[in-house]
């Protein structure tokens, strides 16, 4: 039997900014590697 878990994040403004920065960097790197 398989189980699945869902998580919801509630980041602070500082954490939200860091997440956006990290995702943006990953996107740019991925696109350049293509």
């Amino acid at each position: 039997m398989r189980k699945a878990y869902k998580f919801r994040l509630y980041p602070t403004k500082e954490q939200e900014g860091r997440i956006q920065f990290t995702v943006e960097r990953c996107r740019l790197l991925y696109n350049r590697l293509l």
Side-chain angles (χ1 to χ4, degrees):
M1 184 169 147
R2 293 184 181 178
K3 292 185 179 183
Y5 296 96
K6 282 189 176 182
F7 294 97
R8 177 100 192 224
L9 299 177
Y10 297 99
T12 63
K13 290 291 182 187
E14 181 184 344
Q15 291 170 335
E16 193 174 315
R18 287 184 179 216
I19 291 169
Q20 287 179 349
F21 175 80
T22 303
V23 170
E24 181 69 15
R25 290 289 172 150
C26 291
R27 183 184 67 83
L28 290 172
L29 179 60
Y30 176 80
N31 285 333
R32 286 186 183 180
L33 291 173
L34 287 178

